[in-house]
Amino acid sequence: MIIDKAEVIVTSPDRNFVTLKLTTNDGHTGLGDATLNGRELSVVAYLQEHVVPLLIGSDASRIEDTWQFLYRSAYWRRGPVTMAAIAAVDMALWDIKAKAAGMPLYQLLGGASRSGLLAYGHASGKELSELFDSIRSHQDQAYRAIRVQTGVPGLKAIYGIASQAADAGGGEARYDHEPARRGAKPMQEDWDTRSYLRHLPGVFEAVRNEFGPELPLLHDGHHRMTPLQAAKLGKELEPYDLFWLEDCTPAESHEALKLVRQHTTTPLAIGEVFNTVWDFKDIVRDQLIDYVRGAVTHMGGITPLKKTMEYASLYQIKSGFHGPTDISPVGMAAQMHLGLAIHNFGIQEYMQHGAKTDEVFEQSFTWQNGLLHPGDEPGIGVELNADEAGKYPYEQAYLPYNRLADGTMHDW
Ligand code: KDG
Ligand code: MG
C-alpha cells in the first residue's frame, strides 16, 4: 500500500474547500479535508510544496507514524496551516485503511457507541419574531437542539445572524456562504458588548417561554467578552438552562476561563480555533470546560482528536466538534465516525452544506429524527466528483471582522 499519487483539489461550490486525495499503488484512494476558512491557499501551498513530496513512495498503512513524522520532522510545530495540512493526510490515510478493510471508519475506531449523533443547528434572527421562525424552521428540519444568536438593538450587522435581505436567491436565509462574503476585502461589522449583554438574557427568557424547558439551547459568544463580562452573562443565563455557552472569552487565555468558571454553572465550550491537544491540556485538567470544540480538520486529524477525547474522558468532558459549513463534507463525515465511536460524545454541530457542495462531494451520511449517522460505506463515506469540482474555481473570500463605534478593532 504505497502512496503513488497525492492531489490537492481546490473547489468553491458554495464556498471554498481544499481536499487532499491520496492514491495507492494497489488502487485505493482516500480523501482528507484541509479547509482553513479565509486562508485556504496557504494550506494548499504547505501541502503541495512541502508535504506531497514527502508522501510519494511512503507506506499508506502507517497512520500514526506518518502523523508523528509530519508533526515532528518539520521542527516548526502547531499552527492552523500546519495542522490543517497534517489533518488532511491523516483523514485520507484512515479513509484508505477503512476502505482496504472493507469497513466504515467507525468500525476501525472501535465500533459504534450509540445509534446516532445528536446535532444542533443555527437559529438566528434580528428580531424575536424572526428568531422564533428560525427556531421553528430548524425544528421542522428535525433539529432537536438549537443554537440561538440574536440581533442587538443599535448594531447593524452581527456575524451569525441570517437575514432574508442578505439572501439574494430568495431561499432560506443563510449567513455562512452568501455571495456577499466573497470579495477582495472582508466585510466590517459593528460591535458593542454592553448592548449585547443587556439584550441577550431577555432573548433567552423569551425563547424559553415560547419553546419550553426541554429544548437544548446553545449560544456562541465568538470570543468577544472579558472574563468579568462572560462571568456575568453566564450567571444571568443560568435560569434558562443552556446546553453550553461557547467561546465566551478570547481562546488564547486559559486564565480567563478560570475566572468565568468561579462565577457560573452555565456549561462552557471552547476550542474551534485550537490546533492540538496541548491547547486543551490545562483547561481539561483544571476542568474549566465541559465540551471540546475542536474539529478533525483543524486539530491535525482523527488521530490526535481521538487522543484528546480520551484524555478529556478522564474529566467527564464531552465532544462538541466544530461543524460549520467551512468544514467540508469530508471533515464532517470523518468527525461523525469519531463521534459515533468515542464514549464521551456530547453533541455535533451541523449546518447543512449547500446543494452545489452536495453535488461535488458524494456523501453517505444520514440525518434522521435529529440524529446524524456517517453511513456504512467502507471508509469515510465521501467521494469527490472531479467534474463537478472543476466547475467551481477558487474565489477570494474572508470572514467578516468587528470594530467598535469609535473604530477600535474588537475580538472577532
Ligand atoms: O471559520 C469560522 C467559522 O466556522 C465560525 O465562525 C463558526 O463560530 C462558528 C461556529 O461555532 O460554528
Ligand atoms: Mg463558534
Short mmCIF file of all heavy atoms in Angstrom, two decimals, residues 318-347:
data_model
loop_
_atom_site.label_atom_id
_atom_site.label_comp_id
_atom_site.label_asym_id
_atom_site.label_seq_id
_atom_site.Cartn_x
_atom_site.Cartn_y
_atom_site.Cartn_z
N LYS A 318 -16.99 16.23 27.39
CA LYS A 318 -17.52 15.58 26.19
C LYS A 318 -17.16 16.34 24.91
O LYS A 318 -16.66 17.46 24.97
CB LYS A 318 -19.03 15.45 26.31
CG LYS A 318 -19.43 14.55 27.46
CD LYS A 318 -20.92 14.34 27.48
CE LYS A 318 -21.27 13.34 28.57
NZ LYS A 318 -22.70 13.04 28.57
N SER A 319 -17.50 15.72 23.79
CA SER A 319 -17.22 16.34 22.49
C SER A 319 -18.34 17.28 22.08
O SER A 319 -19.51 17.06 22.42
CB SER A 319 -17.07 15.26 21.42
OG SER A 319 -18.31 14.63 21.18
N GLY A 320 -17.95 18.32 21.32
CA GLY A 320 -18.92 19.18 20.64
C GLY A 320 -18.18 19.68 19.41
O GLY A 320 -17.93 20.88 19.29
N PHE A 321 -17.81 18.76 18.52
CA PHE A 321 -16.91 19.10 17.41
C PHE A 321 -17.48 20.22 16.54
O PHE A 321 -18.67 20.24 16.22
CB PHE A 321 -16.63 17.87 16.54
CG PHE A 321 -15.98 16.71 17.27
CD1 PHE A 321 -16.23 15.40 16.88
CD2 PHE A 321 -15.12 16.93 18.34
CE1 PHE A 321 -15.65 14.33 17.54
CE2 PHE A 321 -14.52 15.87 19.01
CZ PHE A 321 -14.79 14.57 18.62
N HIS A 322 -16.57 21.11 16.15
CA HIS A 322 -16.91 22.26 15.31
C HIS A 322 -17.42 21.77 13.95
O HIS A 322 -16.70 21.04 13.26
CB HIS A 322 -15.63 23.10 15.13
CG HIS A 322 -15.84 24.44 14.53
ND1 HIS A 322 -14.88 25.04 13.75
CD2 HIS A 322 -16.86 25.31 14.61
CE1 HIS A 322 -15.32 26.23 13.37
NE2 HIS A 322 -16.51 26.41 13.89
N GLY A 323 -18.61 22.19 13.56
CA GLY A 323 -19.17 21.68 12.31
C GLY A 323 -19.89 22.71 11.48
O GLY A 323 -21.01 22.47 11.00
N PRO A 324 -19.28 23.90 11.24
CA PRO A 324 -19.91 24.86 10.34
C PRO A 324 -19.69 24.42 8.89
O PRO A 324 -19.02 23.40 8.65
CB PRO A 324 -19.12 26.14 10.63
CG PRO A 324 -17.75 25.64 10.93
CD PRO A 324 -17.95 24.33 11.66
N THR A 325 -20.21 25.18 7.94
CA THR A 325 -20.07 24.74 6.54
C THR A 325 -18.66 24.91 6.01
O THR A 325 -18.37 24.45 4.90
CB THR A 325 -21.06 25.47 5.62
OG1 THR A 325 -20.99 26.87 5.89
CG2 THR A 325 -22.46 24.96 5.81
N ASP A 326 -17.76 25.57 6.77
CA ASP A 326 -16.38 25.62 6.27
C ASP A 326 -15.58 24.37 6.65
O ASP A 326 -14.41 24.24 6.29
CB ASP A 326 -15.64 26.90 6.69
CG ASP A 326 -15.76 27.23 8.15
OD1 ASP A 326 -16.80 27.76 8.56
OD2 ASP A 326 -14.80 26.97 8.90
N ILE A 327 -16.17 23.45 7.39
CA ILE A 327 -15.63 22.09 7.48
C ILE A 327 -16.26 21.35 6.29
O ILE A 327 -17.48 21.31 6.18
CB ILE A 327 -16.05 21.40 8.81
CG1 ILE A 327 -15.60 22.20 10.03
CG2 ILE A 327 -15.53 19.96 8.85
CD1 ILE A 327 -14.12 22.26 10.28
N SER A 328 -15.45 20.79 5.41
CA SER A 328 -16.02 20.20 4.19
C SER A 328 -16.79 18.92 4.54
O SER A 328 -16.65 18.38 5.64
CB SER A 328 -14.92 19.88 3.18
OG SER A 328 -14.42 18.57 3.37
N PRO A 329 -17.58 18.42 3.60
CA PRO A 329 -18.27 17.14 3.86
C PRO A 329 -17.31 16.02 4.26
O PRO A 329 -17.69 15.12 5.01
CB PRO A 329 -18.96 16.85 2.52
CG PRO A 329 -19.23 18.21 1.96
CD PRO A 329 -18.02 19.03 2.32
N VAL A 330 -16.06 16.09 3.78
CA VAL A 330 -15.08 15.06 4.17
C VAL A 330 -14.75 15.18 5.66
O VAL A 330 -14.77 14.19 6.41
CB VAL A 330 -13.78 15.18 3.33
CG1 VAL A 330 -12.75 14.14 3.78
CG2 VAL A 330 -14.09 15.05 1.85
N GLY A 331 -14.46 16.41 6.11
CA GLY A 331 -14.16 16.63 7.52
C GLY A 331 -15.36 16.31 8.40
O GLY A 331 -15.23 15.72 9.48
N MET A 332 -16.56 16.69 7.94
CA MET A 332 -17.77 16.41 8.72
C MET A 332 -17.96 14.91 8.88
O MET A 332 -18.24 14.41 9.98
CB MET A 332 -19.00 17.01 8.04
CG MET A 332 -19.22 18.48 8.30
SD MET A 332 -19.42 18.89 10.05
CE MET A 332 -21.02 18.18 10.42
N ALA A 333 -17.82 14.18 7.77
CA ALA A 333 -18.04 12.73 7.86
C ALA A 333 -16.99 12.09 8.76
O ALA A 333 -17.30 11.20 9.57
CB ALA A 333 -17.99 12.12 6.45
N ALA A 334 -15.73 12.56 8.65
CA ALA A 334 -14.66 11.97 9.47
C ALA A 334 -14.99 12.14 10.95
O ALA A 334 -14.84 11.22 11.76
CB ALA A 334 -13.32 12.62 9.13
N GLN A 335 -15.49 13.35 11.32
CA GLN A 335 -15.77 13.52 12.75
C GLN A 335 -17.09 12.87 13.18
O GLN A 335 -17.28 12.58 14.35
CB GLN A 335 -15.65 14.97 13.20
CG GLN A 335 -16.50 15.99 12.54
CD GLN A 335 -15.99 17.41 12.85
OE1 GLN A 335 -14.87 17.61 13.33
NE2 GLN A 335 -16.81 18.40 12.60
N MET A 336 -17.96 12.58 12.21
CA MET A 336 -19.14 11.76 12.58
C MET A 336 -18.71 10.35 12.96
O MET A 336 -19.23 9.77 13.91
CB MET A 336 -20.12 11.68 11.40
CG MET A 336 -20.95 12.93 11.18
SD MET A 336 -22.10 12.61 9.83
CE MET A 336 -22.09 14.19 9.00
N HIS A 337 -17.75 9.79 12.20
CA HIS A 337 -17.26 8.44 12.55
C HIS A 337 -16.64 8.45 13.95
O HIS A 337 -16.87 7.55 14.75
CB HIS A 337 -16.22 7.98 11.53
CG HIS A 337 -16.81 7.54 10.22
ND1 HIS A 337 -17.33 6.29 10.01
CD2 HIS A 337 -16.96 8.20 9.04
CE1 HIS A 337 -17.78 6.18 8.77
NE2 HIS A 337 -17.57 7.34 8.15
N LEU A 338 -15.84 9.50 14.21
CA LEU A 338 -15.18 9.58 15.52
C LEU A 338 -16.23 9.75 16.63
O LEU A 338 -16.17 9.08 17.66
CB LEU A 338 -14.19 10.76 15.52
CG LEU A 338 -13.38 10.95 16.80
CD1 LEU A 338 -12.57 9.69 17.14
CD2 LEU A 338 -12.43 12.15 16.65
N GLY A 339 -17.20 10.63 16.40
CA GLY A 339 -18.25 10.86 17.40
C GLY A 339 -19.07 9.61 17.68
O GLY A 339 -19.50 9.38 18.82
N LEU A 340 -19.28 8.80 16.64
CA LEU A 340 -20.05 7.57 16.84
C LEU A 340 -19.27 6.57 17.69
O LEU A 340 -19.85 5.83 18.49
CB LEU A 340 -20.37 6.94 15.47
CG LEU A 340 -21.53 5.96 15.44
CD1 LEU A 340 -22.85 6.65 15.76
CD2 LEU A 340 -21.62 5.27 14.07
N ALA A 341 -17.95 6.60 17.56
CA ALA A 341 -17.13 5.57 18.21
C ALA A 341 -16.76 5.91 19.66
O ALA A 341 -16.70 5.03 20.51
CB ALA A 341 -15.85 5.34 17.39
N ILE A 342 -16.49 7.19 19.96
CA ILE A 342 -15.99 7.51 21.30
C ILE A 342 -17.11 7.38 22.34
O ILE A 342 -18.28 7.56 22.02
CB ILE A 342 -15.37 8.93 21.37
CG1 ILE A 342 -16.39 10.00 20.95
CG2 ILE A 342 -14.10 9.00 20.54
CD1 ILE A 342 -15.88 11.43 21.10
N HIS A 343 -16.71 7.13 23.58
CA HIS A 343 -17.71 7.02 24.65
C HIS A 343 -18.25 8.40 25.03
O HIS A 343 -19.44 8.55 25.32
CB HIS A 343 -17.09 6.34 25.88
CG HIS A 343 -18.00 6.36 27.06
ND1 HIS A 343 -19.20 5.66 27.08
CD2 HIS A 343 -17.92 7.01 28.23
CE1 HIS A 343 -19.80 5.88 28.23
NE2 HIS A 343 -19.07 6.71 28.94
N ASN A 344 -17.36 9.41 25.06
CA ASN A 344 -17.76 10.71 25.60
C ASN A 344 -18.20 11.70 24.52
O ASN A 344 -17.81 12.86 24.53
CB ASN A 344 -16.65 11.32 26.47
CG ASN A 344 -15.30 11.39 25.76
OD1 ASN A 344 -15.03 10.63 24.84
ND2 ASN A 344 -14.44 12.30 26.21
N PHE A 345 -19.04 11.21 23.59
CA PHE A 345 -19.67 12.11 22.62
C PHE A 345 -20.68 13.00 23.35
O PHE A 345 -21.39 12.53 24.24
CB PHE A 345 -20.38 11.30 21.53
CG PHE A 345 -21.27 12.14 20.65
CD1 PHE A 345 -20.72 12.88 19.61
CD2 PHE A 345 -22.64 12.23 20.89
CE1 PHE A 345 -21.53 13.68 18.81
CE2 PHE A 345 -23.46 13.02 20.10
CZ PHE A 345 -22.90 13.75 19.06
N GLY A 346 -20.73 14.29 22.96
CA GLY A 346 -21.70 15.19 23.57
C GLY A 346 -22.76 15.64 22.59
O GLY A 346 -23.95 15.34 22.72
N ILE A 347 -22.34 16.35 21.57
CA ILE A 347 -23.26 16.87 20.55
C ILE A 347 -22.42 17.19 19.31
O ILE A 347 -21.20 17.37 19.43
CB ILE A 347 -24.00 18.13 21.08
CG1 ILE A 347 -25.28 18.43 20.28
CG2 ILE A 347 -23.08 19.35 21.11
CD1 ILE A 347 -26.22 19.42 20.96
#
